[in-house]
Amino acid sequence: MRPTLAAAGRGRILFGGDYNPEQWPEETWQDDVRLMKDARVNSVTLGVFSWSKLEPEPGAREFGWLDRLMDLMHEGGIGVVLATPTASPPPWMGRLHPDTLPRDADGRTEVWGGRQHFSHSSATYRRYAAAITEDLAARYGTHPALTMWHINNEYCTFDYGDEAAAAFRRWLREKYRTLDALNSAWGTAFWSQGYDTWDGILPPRHAHYLKNPAQVLDFRRFTSDMLLECFTAERDIVRRHTPHTPVTSNFMPLWIGQDAWRWAEQEDVVSVDLYPDPRDPLGGQRGALVQDLTRSQARGPWMLMEQAAGPVNWRGVNHPKSRGLNRLWSLQAVARGADAVCYFQWRQSRQGAEKFHSGMVSHAGEHGRTYQEVRQLGHELARIGSSVTGSQIVSDVAILHDWHSWWAGAHEGRLSAEVDLPEVLTAWHRALWEAHLATDFAHPEHDLSGYRLVVVPQLYLLTDAAVDNLLRYVHGGGTLVCGFLTGVADEDDRVRPGGMDARLRELFGIRTLHEWWPLEAGETVECEGFRGTLWSEEIEAEPGVARTVPYRGGELDGLPAVLHNGRAWYVSTLPEPEALRELLASVAEGAGVRPVLAGLPDGVEAVRRGELLFLLNHGREPVTVEVPGDHRELLGGEKVTGSLTLGRYGVAVLRS
Ligand code: GLA
């Protein structure tokens, strides 16, 4: 049994954030501890970007400052998530060992002066990373403040350089064994690309025109695997020293570079960084999507490793959070399964690239609104921690998502650059979120038998095993709704005969898929009872098999926009939000799926976690919510009978 988040939290919600005290004089540290205790901070992540401080020259070790901090945290009753500093090598490394620096597809070297300038394939980088990890684990493995290991930070680099090219060839030989197999999988007969030697194969570097899609797909797979190797190498070192301490590495939300299903299986704790735009009217739902995805990867409680207490500094225009929004989105994460609510970062920096990125303690200091709201939240989380942690969320609906399909579908030679998978996923998740249906995510090859409804926004690439799985699911009594461009390609990104897997066509009652008709940005297509966006398809239904909702007017007049064959649905366009919500709500009802709570006002989110019912008002106006029966509200302690009013961004946590 691997250790879990519970080992670090011990019945409390972990609350705190990245702490970069090396940026501050030591006098500030005492003040930090005072404020942390005042805000009920119980966890800090130390050392994420401390490599040059720890190893100022090759092989040197400067642990004194970290020793003092570990002790200080322990004395303050604050646990430490200790990071390996390997996301930002010191300048000397790139200077002395240029082989540690990655190269982009155009051959440009990424140098020090920013961060993440390491080549995942560099033997030198890996040697230095292993050495510092080993020494950190040996020194702090038995320190009483240590609660968790945080490996690297947001693994996200690509490398097209020579050492990566050699590693790519090794990876391909392992996968294909023979050049014939590779040539066949990559379709190299097209444009005279046949390989006669492994040495002739390169990463998909800058080329005159469109690159081979199967080569690009394999390079994405390879990159995810190489980064994962970097992670597991460090993970195994810390595990050797501390087998009972959980290990994590933080994901970026819905980030294209890592196959997060595979990665999550290698972590003890799944953690994510989440920064919805405070000005985005869909910010709450976008957050919910990432929270549902992360919980599903964790198969239980997960860690919100980073969020912002105020503005970030990497959008075009960066807005602070309105009063109450930080609390709302933090409690939303808890409602959706988080047992840790943390931030980037504790104290806002005065120097460096992120000095305008918020911290829990902003430039305004302890009397500033940001810290005051953080403090209030810390007290509230402490109040509900023991009632919440460890408890599960039960969902009858699963959305399927797969990184390999995303990678293949994103190739530059696709039919429409308007189709962006994260936006398609968001549209379908939004429909379920607004219909108050509890939703998990799953991989297309996962066991789906526990779900009453499975929704596929888009799986352009489906392996044979995934197609088998979907058929087994429907034949076993499940209800399936698939969006457009699903089942088009096999796992080598070879288009399936007929443009969609034949067994899926049969399942939906599609005789012929004549043409894909993508729509321009903002263009809509009339369908009976609603408008479609983004995409449409010229489909001929199998006569007498499926019931259909037709397109109206235009090229596709009378042809099916939606096909419905028994428990299998196919939606060949992206219905406008209200229409998609109504469609999914009615299919869900037919499949026996009930909303979390009936009759909720617009903008109110309801989530059941364990015994508790969370109600969250995403609006700025007060709303009254009917909650039949008697309850106790845990944040404020009041009794609630029959109904309650939630103020602007208000949250209630009810126990019946
Ligand atoms: C990421 C990183 C942090 C910080 C934040 C800023 O999540 O992990 O180090 O740069 O972004 O939003």
Side-chain angles (χ1 to χ4, degrees), residues 25-77:
E26 292 204 20
E27 305 85 78
T28 317
W29 301 0
Q30 293 294 345
D31 203 43
D32 286 332
V33 175
R34 176 182 67 83
L35 288 179
M36 284 176 188
K37 286 164 89 169
D38 181 48
R40 306 294 293 264
V41 165
N42 55 31
S43 178
V44 293
T45 304
L46 279 175
V48 180
F49 293 111
S50 306
W51 204 344
S52 68
K53 184 90 177 161
L54 292 167
E55 187 172 0
E57 56 187 72
R61 293 290 182 262
E62 290 287 345
F63 285 134
W65 65 277
L66 190 51
D67 291 350
R68 293 195 289 286
L69 277 162
M70 293 290 288
D71 292 348
L72 192 64
M73 292 301 111
H74 181 58
E75 285 155 22

Short mmCIF file of all heavy atoms in Angstrom, two decimals, residues 25-77:
data_model
loop_
_atom_site.label_atom_id
_atom_site.label_comp_id
_atom_site.label_asym_id
_atom_site.label_seq_id
_atom_site.Cartn_x
_atom_site.Cartn_y
_atom_site.Cartn_z
N PRO A 25 15.19 38.24 3.55
CA PRO A 25 16.14 38.18 4.67
C PRO A 25 15.56 37.30 5.78
O PRO A 25 14.33 37.20 5.93
CB PRO A 25 16.25 39.64 5.13
CG PRO A 25 15.10 40.37 4.51
CD PRO A 25 14.66 39.59 3.32
N GLU A 26 16.45 36.69 6.56
CA GLU A 26 15.97 35.72 7.56
C GLU A 26 15.04 36.35 8.60
O GLU A 26 14.20 35.65 9.16
CB GLU A 26 17.15 35.01 8.23
CG GLU A 26 17.88 34.10 7.26
CD GLU A 26 18.65 32.94 7.92
OE1 GLU A 26 18.37 32.57 9.08
OE2 GLU A 26 19.52 32.40 7.24
N GLU A 27 15.16 37.68 8.83
CA GLU A 27 14.23 38.31 9.80
C GLU A 27 12.78 38.11 9.37
O GLU A 27 11.87 38.00 10.21
CB GLU A 27 14.45 39.83 9.92
CG GLU A 27 15.84 40.29 10.26
CD GLU A 27 16.72 40.40 9.04
OE1 GLU A 27 16.60 41.40 8.30
OE2 GLU A 27 17.52 39.45 8.83
N THR A 28 12.55 38.06 8.07
CA THR A 28 11.17 37.91 7.59
C THR A 28 10.60 36.55 7.95
O THR A 28 9.38 36.38 8.08
CB THR A 28 11.14 38.09 6.04
OG1 THR A 28 11.97 39.18 5.70
CG2 THR A 28 9.75 38.31 5.52
N TRP A 29 11.48 35.54 8.09
CA TRP A 29 10.99 34.19 8.32
C TRP A 29 10.15 34.07 9.59
O TRP A 29 9.14 33.36 9.61
CB TRP A 29 12.16 33.18 8.40
CG TRP A 29 13.02 33.13 7.15
CD1 TRP A 29 12.86 33.86 6.01
CD2 TRP A 29 14.19 32.32 6.95
NE1 TRP A 29 13.84 33.55 5.10
CE2 TRP A 29 14.69 32.60 5.65
CE3 TRP A 29 14.87 31.38 7.74
CZ2 TRP A 29 15.81 31.97 5.13
CZ3 TRP A 29 15.99 30.75 7.21
CH2 TRP A 29 16.45 31.05 5.92
N GLN A 30 10.61 34.76 10.65
CA GLN A 30 9.86 34.69 11.91
C GLN A 30 8.46 35.28 11.72
O GLN A 30 7.47 34.75 12.23
CB GLN A 30 10.58 35.48 13.02
CG GLN A 30 11.91 34.90 13.44
CD GLN A 30 11.77 33.55 14.12
OE1 GLN A 30 10.66 33.16 14.53
NE2 GLN A 30 12.86 32.81 14.24
N ASP A 31 8.43 36.36 10.97
CA ASP A 31 7.16 37.01 10.71
C ASP A 31 6.27 36.11 9.85
O ASP A 31 5.04 36.04 10.05
CB ASP A 31 7.43 38.34 9.98
CG ASP A 31 6.28 39.29 10.17
OD1 ASP A 31 5.77 39.38 11.31
OD2 ASP A 31 5.86 39.91 9.18
N ASP A 32 6.89 35.40 8.93
CA ASP A 32 6.13 34.45 8.11
C ASP A 32 5.44 33.41 9.00
O ASP A 32 4.25 33.12 8.83
CB ASP A 32 7.06 33.73 7.12
CG ASP A 32 7.50 34.62 5.96
OD1 ASP A 32 6.74 35.54 5.60
OD2 ASP A 32 8.58 34.39 5.40
N VAL A 33 6.20 32.87 9.93
CA VAL A 33 5.63 31.83 10.79
C VAL A 33 4.47 32.41 11.62
O VAL A 33 3.42 31.78 11.77
CB VAL A 33 6.70 31.21 11.71
CG1 VAL A 33 6.08 30.22 12.69
CG2 VAL A 33 7.76 30.51 10.87
N ARG A 34 4.67 33.62 12.12
CA ARG A 34 3.59 34.25 12.90
C ARG A 34 2.32 34.35 12.05
O ARG A 34 1.23 33.95 12.48
CB ARG A 34 4.05 35.64 13.36
CG ARG A 34 2.98 36.44 14.10
CD ARG A 34 3.48 37.84 14.47
NE ARG A 34 3.73 38.71 13.33
CZ ARG A 34 2.79 39.41 12.70
NH1 ARG A 34 1.53 39.35 13.10
NH2 ARG A 34 3.10 40.19 11.67
N LEU A 35 2.47 34.84 10.84
CA LEU A 35 1.29 35.01 9.99
C LEU A 35 0.72 33.66 9.54
O LEU A 35 -0.50 33.50 9.43
CB LEU A 35 1.65 35.85 8.75
CG LEU A 35 1.89 37.33 9.00
CD1 LEU A 35 2.25 38.04 7.70
CD2 LEU A 35 0.64 37.98 9.61
N MET A 36 1.58 32.72 9.28
CA MET A 36 1.09 31.39 8.87
C MET A 36 0.23 30.79 9.99
O MET A 36 -0.86 30.27 9.73
CB MET A 36 2.26 30.45 8.57
CG MET A 36 2.94 30.72 7.25
SD MET A 36 4.37 29.64 7.04
CE MET A 36 5.10 30.33 5.56
N LYS A 37 0.73 30.91 11.22
CA LYS A 37 -0.05 30.35 12.33
C LYS A 37 -1.38 31.08 12.47
O LYS A 37 -2.43 30.47 12.68
CB LYS A 37 0.76 30.42 13.63
CG LYS A 37 1.87 29.38 13.65
CD LYS A 37 2.89 29.65 14.69
CE LYS A 37 2.57 29.03 16.02
NZ LYS A 37 3.76 29.13 16.92
N ASP A 38 -1.31 32.39 12.27
CA ASP A 38 -2.52 33.21 12.38
C ASP A 38 -3.56 32.80 11.31
O ASP A 38 -4.76 32.87 11.54
CB ASP A 38 -2.08 34.67 12.18
CG ASP A 38 -3.23 35.64 12.28
OD1 ASP A 38 -4.01 35.53 13.24
OD2 ASP A 38 -3.36 36.51 11.39
N ALA A 39 -3.06 32.38 10.15
CA ALA A 39 -3.99 32.01 9.05
C ALA A 39 -4.28 30.51 9.03
O ALA A 39 -4.90 30.03 8.09
CB ALA A 39 -3.38 32.45 7.71
N ARG A 40 -3.80 29.79 10.03
CA ARG A 40 -3.98 28.34 10.12
C ARG A 40 -3.32 27.60 8.96
O ARG A 40 -3.80 26.54 8.52
CB ARG A 40 -5.46 27.95 10.21
CG ARG A 40 -6.24 28.64 11.32
CD ARG A 40 -5.77 28.21 12.71
NE ARG A 40 -6.05 26.81 13.01
CZ ARG A 40 -7.11 26.39 13.68
NH1 ARG A 40 -7.99 27.26 14.14
NH2 ARG A 40 -7.29 25.12 13.93
N VAL A 41 -2.24 28.15 8.44
CA VAL A 41 -1.44 27.44 7.43
C VAL A 41 -0.79 26.24 8.09
O VAL A 41 -0.19 26.36 9.16
CB VAL A 41 -0.38 28.38 6.82
CG1 VAL A 41 0.69 27.60 6.06
CG2 VAL A 41 -1.04 29.41 5.91
N ASN A 42 -0.95 25.08 7.48
CA ASN A 42 -0.34 23.87 8.07
C ASN A 42 0.60 23.16 7.11
O ASN A 42 1.08 22.07 7.40
CB ASN A 42 -1.43 22.92 8.56
CG ASN A 42 -2.41 22.56 7.45
OD1 ASN A 42 -2.04 22.52 6.28
ND2 ASN A 42 -3.67 22.31 7.81
N SER A 43 0.82 23.76 5.93
CA SER A 43 1.68 23.10 4.95
C SER A 43 2.37 24.13 4.06
O SER A 43 1.70 25.02 3.52
CB SER A 43 0.82 22.17 4.08
OG SER A 43 1.59 21.55 3.09
N VAL A 44 3.68 23.99 3.89
CA VAL A 44 4.37 24.83 2.90
C VAL A 44 5.22 23.93 2.00
O VAL A 44 5.67 22.87 2.42
CB VAL A 44 5.29 25.90 3.54
CG1 VAL A 44 4.47 26.94 4.29
CG2 VAL A 44 6.35 25.26 4.43
N THR A 45 5.36 24.37 0.77
CA THR A 45 6.21 23.64 -0.17
C THR A 45 7.51 24.41 -0.31
O THR A 45 7.52 25.57 -0.74
CB THR A 45 5.50 23.53 -1.54
OG1 THR A 45 4.24 22.91 -1.32
CG2 THR A 45 6.32 22.69 -2.50
N LEU A 46 8.59 23.77 0.10
CA LEU A 46 9.90 24.44 0.12
C LEU A 46 10.79 23.90 -1.00
O LEU A 46 10.74 22.71 -1.33
CB LEU A 46 10.61 24.15 1.44
CG LEU A 46 10.23 24.96 2.68
CD1 LEU A 46 10.99 24.41 3.90
CD2 LEU A 46 10.56 26.44 2.48
N GLY A 47 11.59 24.81 -1.56
CA GLY A 47 12.71 24.37 -2.38
C GLY A 47 12.42 24.15 -3.86
O GLY A 47 13.25 23.59 -4.56
N VAL A 48 11.23 24.57 -4.34
CA VAL A 48 10.88 24.26 -5.73
C VAL A 48 11.91 24.82 -6.71
O VAL A 48 12.29 24.17 -7.67
CB VAL A 48 9.47 24.80 -6.09
CG1 VAL A 48 9.13 24.47 -7.53
CG2 VAL A 48 8.42 24.23 -5.16
N PHE A 49 12.38 26.04 -6.44
CA PHE A 49 13.34 26.65 -7.36
C PHE A 49 14.63 27.04 -6.63
O PHE A 49 15.13 28.14 -6.78
CB PHE A 49 12.71 27.87 -8.04
CG PHE A 49 11.58 27.51 -8.96
CD1 PHE A 49 10.27 27.85 -8.65
CD2 PHE A 49 11.82 26.81 -10.13
CE1 PHE A 49 9.22 27.50 -9.50
CE2 PHE A 49 10.78 26.45 -10.99
CZ PHE A 49 9.49 26.80 -10.68
N SER A 50 15.15 26.12 -5.83
CA SER A 50 16.28 26.48 -4.95
C SER A 50 17.60 25.85 -5.37
O SER A 50 18.54 25.81 -4.57
CB SER A 50 15.96 26.04 -3.51
OG SER A 50 14.74 26.57 -3.09
N TRP A 51 17.69 25.35 -6.59
CA TRP A 51 18.89 24.56 -6.93
C TRP A 51 20.17 25.38 -6.80
O TRP A 51 21.15 24.93 -6.21
CB TRP A 51 18.76 23.98 -8.35
CG TRP A 51 19.60 22.75 -8.56
CD1 TRP A 51 20.64 22.31 -7.80
CD2 TRP A 51 19.45 21.80 -9.61
NE1 TRP A 51 21.15 21.14 -8.31
CE2 TRP A 51 20.44 20.80 -9.43
CE3 TRP A 51 18.58 21.67 -10.69
CZ2 TRP A 51 20.59 19.70 -10.28
CZ3 TRP A 51 18.73 20.58 -11.55
CH2 TRP A 51 19.72 19.61 -11.35
N SER A 52 20.17 26.61 -7.32
CA SER A 52 21.44 27.35 -7.27
C SER A 52 21.80 27.76 -5.84
O SER A 52 22.95 28.01 -5.53
CB SER A 52 21.41 28.57 -8.20
OG SER A 52 20.52 29.53 -7.71
N LYS A 53 20.82 27.83 -4.99
CA LYS A 53 21.07 28.13 -3.57
C LYS A 53 21.64 26.88 -2.87
O LYS A 53 22.51 26.98 -2.01
CB LYS A 53 19.74 28.55 -2.94
CG LYS A 53 19.81 28.99 -1.52
CD LYS A 53 20.06 30.47 -1.39
CE LYS A 53 20.05 30.87 0.07
NZ LYS A 53 20.71 32.15 0.28
N LEU A 54 21.10 25.71 -3.25
CA LEU A 54 21.55 24.46 -2.62
C LEU A 54 22.89 23.99 -3.17
O LEU A 54 23.69 23.39 -2.46
CB LEU A 54 20.50 23.35 -2.85
CG LEU A 54 19.16 23.52 -2.14
CD1 LEU A 54 18.13 22.55 -2.71
CD2 LEU A 54 19.32 23.30 -0.64
N GLU A 55 23.12 24.24 -4.46
CA GLU A 55 24.34 23.75 -5.12
C GLU A 55 24.94 24.93 -5.91
O GLU A 55 24.84 24.98 -7.14
CB GLU A 55 24.00 22.57 -6.05
CG GLU A 55 25.22 21.89 -6.63
CD GLU A 55 24.88 20.59 -7.39
OE1 GLU A 55 23.69 20.22 -7.46
OE2 GLU A 55 25.82 19.97 -7.92
N PRO A 56 25.55 25.88 -5.18
CA PRO A 56 25.99 27.10 -5.86
C PRO A 56 27.10 26.86 -6.88
O PRO A 56 27.29 27.66 -7.78
CB PRO A 56 26.48 28.00 -4.72
CG PRO A 56 26.62 27.11 -3.54
CD PRO A 56 25.76 25.92 -3.74
N GLU A 57 27.85 25.76 -6.73
CA GLU A 57 28.80 25.37 -7.77
C GLU A 57 28.76 23.84 -7.86
O GLU A 57 28.27 23.19 -6.92
CB GLU A 57 30.20 25.89 -7.45
CG GLU A 57 30.73 25.46 -6.12
CD GLU A 57 32.04 26.15 -5.79
OE1 GLU A 57 32.00 27.36 -5.50
OE2 GLU A 57 33.08 25.46 -5.84
N PRO A 58 29.24 23.28 -8.96
CA PRO A 58 29.06 21.84 -9.16
C PRO A 58 29.50 21.01 -7.96
O PRO A 58 30.63 21.16 -7.50
CB PRO A 58 29.93 21.54 -10.38
CG PRO A 58 30.11 22.85 -11.08
CD PRO A 58 29.99 23.92 -10.05
N GLY A 59 28.60 20.21 -7.46
CA GLY A 59 28.92 19.29 -6.37
C GLY A 59 28.89 19.90 -4.98
O GLY A 59 28.88 19.19 -3.98
N ALA A 60 28.86 21.24 -4.86
CA ALA A 60 28.81 21.87 -3.53
C ALA A 60 27.42 21.65 -2.92
O ALA A 60 26.45 21.41 -3.63
CB ALA A 60 29.08 23.36 -3.66
N ARG A 61 27.35 21.73 -1.59
CA ARG A 61 26.04 21.60 -0.93
C ARG A 61 25.92 22.69 0.12
O ARG A 61 26.79 22.82 0.98
CB ARG A 61 25.90 20.23 -0.25
CG ARG A 61 25.86 19.05 -1.21
CD ARG A 61 24.56 19.01 -2.00
NE ARG A 61 24.47 17.86 -2.90
CZ ARG A 61 24.74 17.89 -4.20
NH1 ARG A 61 25.14 19.01 -4.77
NH2 ARG A 61 24.62 16.81 -4.95
N GLU A 62 24.84 23.47 0.06
CA GLU A 62 24.58 24.52 1.05
C GLU A 62 23.23 24.21 1.69
O GLU A 62 22.19 24.65 1.21
CB GLU A 62 24.51 25.90 0.38
CG GLU A 62 25.82 26.42 -0.13
CD GLU A 62 26.75 26.88 0.99
OE1 GLU A 62 26.26 27.06 2.13
OE2 GLU A 62 27.95 27.04 0.72
N PHE A 63 23.26 23.43 2.76
CA PHE A 63 22.00 23.02 3.36
C PHE A 63 21.64 23.81 4.61
O PHE A 63 20.54 23.65 5.14
CB PHE A 63 22.04 21.53 3.72
CG PHE A 63 21.92 20.61 2.54
CD1 PHE A 63 22.77 19.52 2.40
CD2 PHE A 63 20.94 20.82 1.57
CE1 PHE A 63 22.65 18.65 1.32
CE2 PHE A 63 20.82 19.95 0.49
CZ PHE A 63 21.68 18.87 0.37
N GLY A 64 22.57 24.64 5.10
CA GLY A 64 22.35 25.30 6.39
C GLY A 64 21.04 26.09 6.43
O GLY A 64 20.26 25.97 7.38
N TRP A 65 20.78 26.87 5.41
CA TRP A 65 19.57 27.70 5.39
C TRP A 65 18.31 26.83 5.39
O TRP A 65 17.31 27.16 6.05
CB TRP A 65 19.59 28.65 4.18
CG TRP A 65 19.53 27.94 2.84
CD1 TRP A 65 20.58 27.39 2.16
CD2 TRP A 65 18.37 27.70 2.06
NE1 TRP A 65 20.15 26.80 0.99
CE2 TRP A 65 18.79 26.99 0.89
CE3 TRP A 65 17.01 28.01 2.20
CZ2 TRP A 65 17.90 26.58 -0.10
CZ3 TRP A 65 16.14 27.60 1.19
CH2 TRP A 65 16.58 26.89 0.06
N LEU A 66 18.39 25.71 4.68
CA LEU A 66 17.21 24.83 4.62
C LEU A 66 17.04 24.08 5.95
O LEU A 66 15.90 23.88 6.40
CB LEU A 66 17.36 23.87 3.43
CG LEU A 66 16.15 23.03 3.06
CD1 LEU A 66 14.87 23.87 2.88
CD2 LEU A 66 16.41 22.23 1.77
N ASP A 67 18.16 23.73 6.57
CA ASP A 67 18.07 23.12 7.92
C ASP A 67 17.29 24.04 8.85
O ASP A 67 16.38 23.62 9.58
CB ASP A 67 19.47 22.93 8.53
CG ASP A 67 20.29 21.86 7.83
OD1 ASP A 67 19.74 21.14 6.99
OD2 ASP A 67 21.51 21.78 8.13
N ARG A 68 17.68 25.34 8.83
CA ARG A 68 17.03 26.29 9.75
C ARG A 68 15.54 26.42 9.43
O ARG A 68 14.70 26.49 10.33
CB ARG A 68 17.73 27.67 9.66
CG ARG A 68 19.15 27.65 10.19
CD ARG A 68 19.68 29.06 10.44
NE ARG A 68 19.95 29.80 9.23
CZ ARG A 68 20.99 29.59 8.40
NH1 ARG A 68 21.86 28.64 8.66
NH2 ARG A 68 21.15 30.33 7.31
N LEU A 69 15.23 26.40 8.16
CA LEU A 69 13.81 26.53 7.78
C LEU A 69 13.00 25.31 8.15
O LEU A 69 11.87 25.43 8.65
CB LEU A 69 13.69 26.75 6.26
CG LEU A 69 13.87 28.20 5.84
CD1 LEU A 69 14.18 28.28 4.37
CD2 LEU A 69 12.60 28.99 6.17
N MET A 70 13.57 24.14 7.92
CA MET A 70 12.85 22.91 8.28
C MET A 70 12.55 22.91 9.78
O MET A 70 11.44 22.59 10.21
CB MET A 70 13.67 21.67 7.90
CG MET A 70 13.87 21.44 6.41
SD MET A 70 12.40 20.96 5.47
CE MET A 70 12.12 19.27 6.00
N ASP A 71 13.57 23.30 10.55
CA ASP A 71 13.38 23.35 12.02
C ASP A 71 12.32 24.39 12.39
O ASP A 71 11.45 24.15 13.24
CB ASP A 71 14.70 23.68 12.72
CG ASP A 71 15.72 22.56 12.58
OD1 ASP A 71 15.31 21.45 12.16
OD2 ASP A 71 16.91 22.79 12.87
N LEU A 72 12.42 25.54 11.74
CA LEU A 72 11.48 26.62 12.04
C LEU A 72 10.04 26.18 11.73
O LEU A 72 9.11 26.45 12.51
CB LEU A 72 11.85 27.83 11.17
CG LEU A 72 11.21 29.16 11.49
CD1 LEU A 72 11.65 29.64 12.87
CD2 LEU A 72 11.63 30.20 10.43
N MET A 73 9.86 25.51 10.62
CA MET A 73 8.52 25.05 10.26
C MET A 73 8.03 24.04 11.29
O MET A 73 6.89 24.09 11.73
CB MET A 73 8.51 24.42 8.85
CG MET A 73 8.76 25.38 7.71
SD MET A 73 7.54 26.71 7.66
CE MET A 73 8.52 28.11 8.11
N HIS A 74 8.91 23.15 11.66
CA HIS A 74 8.52 22.13 12.63
C HIS A 74 8.11 22.76 13.96
O HIS A 74 7.06 22.42 14.53
CB HIS A 74 9.65 21.13 12.83
CG HIS A 74 9.29 20.05 13.79
ND1 HIS A 74 8.20 19.22 13.60
CD2 HIS A 74 9.85 19.68 14.97
CE1 HIS A 74 8.10 18.39 14.62
NE2 HIS A 74 9.08 18.64 15.47
N GLU A 75 8.93 23.72 14.41
CA GLU A 75 8.58 24.41 15.67
C GLU A 75 7.23 25.12 15.56
O GLU A 75 6.48 25.22 16.52
CB GLU A 75 9.65 25.46 16.03
CG GLU A 75 10.92 24.86 16.57
CD GLU A 75 12.12 25.80 16.34
OE1 GLU A 75 11.92 27.01 16.16
OE2 GLU A 75 13.25 25.27 16.30
N GLY A 76 6.92 25.61 14.35
CA GLY A 76 5.65 26.31 14.15
C GLY A 76 4.48 25.36 13.89
O GLY A 76 3.36 25.81 13.63
N GLY A 77 4.73 24.05 13.88
CA GLY A 77 3.66 23.08 13.63
C GLY A 77 3.22 23.06 12.18
O GLY A 77 2.09 22.70 11.86
#
